[in-house]
Amino acid sequence: MPGLLSDVLAWLVIGTFVAGAVANGRDRELGRRVMTAAWVLFAVFWLQLIPHFTLVHKSYIEGLLTIAAVPASLYAGWLLYNGRDTLFVLSRAVAAMGVVYLPFETIPALTLFGTTVPAPRGVLMESVAAQTRFLIESLGYTPQMIPGDEGYLNTFLWMQGSHRIEISVVLACTGLGSIAIFAGLIAAVDAPMRRKLRGLAIAVPIIYALNLLRTTFITISVGKQYFQWFVDEVLFLFGSSDPYMVSFFISDRIISQALAVVALVGITYLVVQEVPELLTVIEDVLYMVTGEEYDLRTELGLDGRA
């Protein structure tokens, strides 16, 4: 996330969702009001991220999703406030997602009793970078590993003639976001623990493995400048003047992000075979988009799953 304001606002949002989940267990109407407030705060959170994803990150897919998240959050809060109780599940899921993700995003390195505890984000980024390096070298490439801007050993250095190309594995490159989404959704539903664990056992390894393939693909593509296609057009499309970024925009912002959407749909299909209760969340999202009710458990033949 772009800075301290986003971090503080994110913790406020997740704290409110958690408070709503706790309140709902004791007083449903109090929980409803707290959760509604959490959705309003969530809309504010996405609103302040729009410039980051559209102007700084230059991601059309993430930018559009961030813009859409503002009215979607407000609409979810409005529906919940007016009695759509199934949205309590999605609300609890957001709370659990934040609990999984935010420690990696916001907790810095600490020194306790003379012992330095590394920042969770640094450990994760360096681990993914090291595994990406293994895959890159297995394919016959030998970029140099150097410390990145934050001091972590997470950056690949490639040389194109005398020009340096540096590609860093940042937190968004670790697959943590997608893992947090599925962990939050699975944690939020009312299902037997054995099926929840099976659902996690399906989602987490697949996401992690596909993400390593993604980081390997992007790093090699950018380092070797394999996608220098329609240079002027791509630079105009993404508002950049650096021709060495064209392969990055094509490999990451276009190819990888499009394939990620397809992969998440496929993983969702596999997970709901074990945890069909997740379809409640999907039905709520479809209702918010179309205004029509759906019964996906019946349509998919998952009615009798215990």
Side-chain angles (χ1 to χ4, degrees), residues 127-188:
S127 297
V128 172
Q131 292 157 19
T132 301
R133 180 182 187 179
F134 173 80
L135 293 177
I136 290 172
E137 292 181 346
S138 298
L139 294 172
Y141 300 93
T142 55
Q144 182 182 350
M145 286 285 289
I146 62 173
D149 294 339
E150 298 179 72
Y152 303 122
L153 192 61
N154 67 330
T155 300
F156 297 91
L157 172 62
W158 302 74
M159 299 300 298
Q160 285 289 324
S162 60
H163 186 80
R164 294 167 58 96
I165 298 177
E166 297 182 11
I167 306 120
S168 297
V169 175
V170 297
L171 191 62
C173 302
T174 62
L176 176 64
S178 297
I179 290 172
I181 288 173
F182 279 95
L185 289 170
I186 291 171

Side-chain angles (χ1 to χ4, degrees), residues 182 202-203 206-207 210 258-273:
F182 279 95
I202 291 171
I206 293 176
I207 291 171
L210 289 178
L259 289 177
V261 173
V262 176
L264 289 176
V265 171
I267 294 168
T268 300
Y269 177 79
L270 294 175
V271 172
V272 298
Q273 303 301 308

